[in-house]
Amino acid sequence: MKYLVLSDLHGSLYHYQRIKEIFSFEEPDKIVMLGDFAHYYGIDEECRKELSLLPIKPIAIEGNCDNGCGNVPEMTYQGEIYWEDDFSRHLLFTHGDRYNISNIPLSLDKGDVLIYGHTHMGGLVYKNGVFIANCGSLSNPRFGFQSSYIVIDDDGIYLKMSENNKILEKILFSDYK
């Protein structure tokens, strides 16, 4: 299984269009969008059209800027958190305004993965036995961070630049047994 994880597009049509290119390069089995699809007012028709052109329907997590985005038929809406059991571990996908590196859910065990966005600053860390991945922002990175996304596969977690798909950081699961 291979996941493509994106966050914080904030209604940028250019970056909605960019998802198709990233998808073609990465060829994931699932796309998970970690919220802030819009900027308080919902997703406009042009962005929704771009979502409808994707080969698979993204799984959507609600962000703090997503008022009214739960009814977008081009995505499978999951609310505030989404759990997956894959790679012999639990994956918890969330926006990041509630759960993040400073507030790791107690339900996560050693080897589990917390994936979030919200801060617009990508990074990977292994903390207290939990893999923590912030995918950054596709459209509006902050404080000198690159526009980024995350790929998760059987081997590990990869933070990648959205403009050229190059790896910025990686954590291999086999390095932490």
Side-chain angles (χ1 to χ4, degrees):
M1 180 70 66
K2 185 176 185 180
Y3 297 85
L4 170 61
V5 186
L6 314 161
S7 188
D8 296 279
L9 280 85
H10 291 284
S12 167
L13 179 58
Y14 169 78
H15 290 93
Y16 273 93
Q17 293 166 337
R18 188 75 188 99
I19 296 171
K20 287 185 300 196
E21 297 168 25
I22 295 169
F23 181 92
S24 294
F25 180 80
E26 298 293 350
E27 299 181 340
D29 299 298
K30 291 187 179 184
I31 301 172
V32 182
M33 297 178 66
L34 300 179
D36 288 359
F37 320 112
H39 199 68
Y40 298 111
Y41 51 81
I43 300 175
D44 68 28
E45 287 301 315
E46 291 176 317
C47 293
R48 289 177 66 174
K49 181 181 179 211
E50 293 301 320
L51 288 172
S52 72
L53 297 173
L54 293 170
I56 57 177
K57 194 175 196 179
I59 297 163
I61 308 300
E62 181 179 23
N64 58 301
C65 294
D66 289 331
N67 297 337
C69 290
N71 60 354
V72 176
E74 294 82 6
M75 298 187 286
T76 302
Y77 185 71
Q78 294 294 323
E80 288 186 20
I81 60 172
Y82 173 65
W83 283 95
E84 280 275 330
D85 293 318
D86 217 333
F87 318 122
S88 302
R89 62 190 80 245
H90 300 292
L91 307 175
L92 172 62
F93 297 91
T94 187
H95 178 60
D97 52 336
R98 182 172 173 193
Y99 297 117
N100 51 53
I101 194 167
S102 299
N103 187 23
I104 302 169
L106 297 176
S107 56
L108 292 177
D109 295 322
K110 183 177 181 181
D112 288 346
V113 184
L114 171 63
I115 308 103
Y116 69 99
H118 182 62
T119 66
H120 298 228
M121 300 179 292
L124 306 175
V125 141
Y126 184 74
K127 180 179 176 185
N128 299 330
V130 175
F131 296 97
I132 302 171
N134 185 324
C135 61
S137 172
L138 210 57
S139 69
N140 188 22
R142 294 182 180 153
F143 306 112
F145 282 77
Q146 299 288 327
S147 173
S148 59
Y149 64 93
I150 280 180
V151 170
I152 305 171
D153 65 15
D154 296 335
D155 297 321
I157 308 167
Y158 308 87
L159 178 67
K160 295 183 147 192
M161 286 177 57
S162 66
E163 296 305 317
N164 61 17
N165 307 306
K166 289 186 179 175
I167 295 173
L168 293 167
E169 296 179 41
K170 70 179 177 180
I171 290 181
L172 299 177
F173 295 135
S174 61
D175 290 344
Y176 299 88
K177 290 188 176 185

